[in-house]
């Protein structure tokens, strides 16, 4: 059923859905290491997941991927940094504390911990992403934009772009408003949809979230007819995911 829903929203967005036969011939995407809307714990540090924010905390030590994850990630790892087992254990303990602070909504302490780690590893895109998530929770839009932008730049250079980072950047740009930032946010949400669509059924949650955010972005631009066109497949997708009620 989700394949049919994907075709409907892809067509509504002006994008051609893939035939089923083509899908059978393509290699399937790797399972992702991150879960959207929750701090990463299972892979990397071995800690249980805890709710944080829609832009998704990423835990250090997660394995990068080259495909969009089912719940928000494409290559969200810091591929450039190699750590010893002792350093990995230290990073895991630090991220455990960050996730605990986020779960308790102690965002000031979480931000301080991440800043401290970032001083030691200034090119770590995961730390930048996670600090962007904390700034987003604090509604510190400019600071969040700076962190997500820096993380996105590093990911582009490494060829491992994170869907969650793109979504986070699009979110904070949209929250700030203004013509240029709204247009940039719109472009990012459309890119998120393209990534998620490649995942077919596994990309449904990210597709839904990106469609909702794109609709809201278009509303802020007062492009009402376009927003309505995006809301239609969004509602169709929501019905398939959550039922009529």
């Amino acid at each position: 059923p989700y394949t049919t829903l994907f075709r409907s929203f892809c067509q509504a967005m002006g994008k051609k859905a893939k035939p089923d036969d083509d899908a059978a011939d393509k290699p399937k995407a790797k399972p992702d290491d991150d879960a959207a809307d929750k701090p990463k714990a299972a892979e990397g540090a071995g800690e249980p997941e805890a709710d944080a924010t829609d832009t998704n905390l990423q835990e250090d030590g997660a394995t990068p991927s080259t495909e969009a994850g089912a719940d928000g990630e494409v290559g969200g790892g810091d591929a450039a940094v190699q750590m010893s087992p002792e350093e990995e254990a230290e990073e895991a303990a630090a991220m455990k504390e960050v996730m605990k602070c986020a779960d308790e909504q102690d965002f000031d302490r979480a931000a301080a911990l991440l800043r401290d780690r970032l001083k030691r590893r200034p090119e770590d895109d995961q730390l930048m992403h996670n600090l962007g998530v904390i700034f987003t929770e604090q509604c510190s839009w400019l600071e969040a934009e700076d962190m997500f932008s820096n993380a996105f730049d590093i990911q582009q250079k490494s060829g491992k772009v994170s869907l969650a980072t793109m979504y986070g950047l699009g979110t904070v740009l949209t929250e700030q408003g203004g013509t240029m930032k709204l247009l940039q946010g719109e472009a990012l949400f459309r890119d998120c949809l393209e990534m998620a669509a490649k995942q077919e059924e596994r990309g449904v949650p990210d597709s839904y979230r990106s469609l909702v955010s794109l609709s809201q972005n278009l509303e802020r631009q007062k492009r009402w007819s376009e927003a309505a066109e995006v809301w239609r497949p969004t509602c169709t997708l929501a019905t398939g995911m959550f039922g009529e009620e």
Side-chain angles (χ1 to χ4, degrees), residues 200-215:
E200 299 184 345
E201 285 85 352
R202 224 161 42 84
V204 168
D206 284 324
S207 296
Y208 173 73
R209 183 172 67 166
S210 298
L211 281 167
V212 170
S213 294
L214 177 59
S215 302

Side-chain angles (χ1 to χ4, degrees), residues 19 30 33 43 55 63 81 86 94 97 107-108 110 125 136 142 148 153 163-164 173 193 201-202 216 239 245:
K30 302 175 185 177
D33 291 324
E43 289 79 17
T55 47
T63 303
V81 177
E86 293 78 12
E97 183 64 21
F107 299 120
D108 288 338
D125 63 291
T136 300
L142 285 172
F148 284 130
D153 288 344
L163 194 155
L173 289 168
L193 281 169
E201 285 85 352
R202 224 161 42 84
Q216 294 170 341
T239 300
E245 296 183 4

Side-chain angles (χ1 to χ4, degrees), residues 157-180:
K157 290 175 184 176
S158 70
K160 296 186 173 93
V161 177
S162 165
L163 194 155
T165 299
M166 289 174 56
Y167 181 86
L169 181 56
T171 297
V172 298
L173 289 168
T174 300
E175 288 290 345
Q176 291 175 75
T179 301
M180 291 307 299

Side-chain angles (χ1 to χ4, degrees), residues 58-69:
Q58 300 174 7
E59 179 142 1
D60 295 304
T63 303
S65 165
T66 55
E67 298 290 342

Side-chain angles (χ1 to χ4, degrees), residues 144-156:
E145 179 187 348
D146 187 48
M147 286 296 104
F148 284 130
S149 294
N150 291 341
F152 185 54
D153 288 344
I154 291 173
Q155 291 164 7
Q156 284 187 309

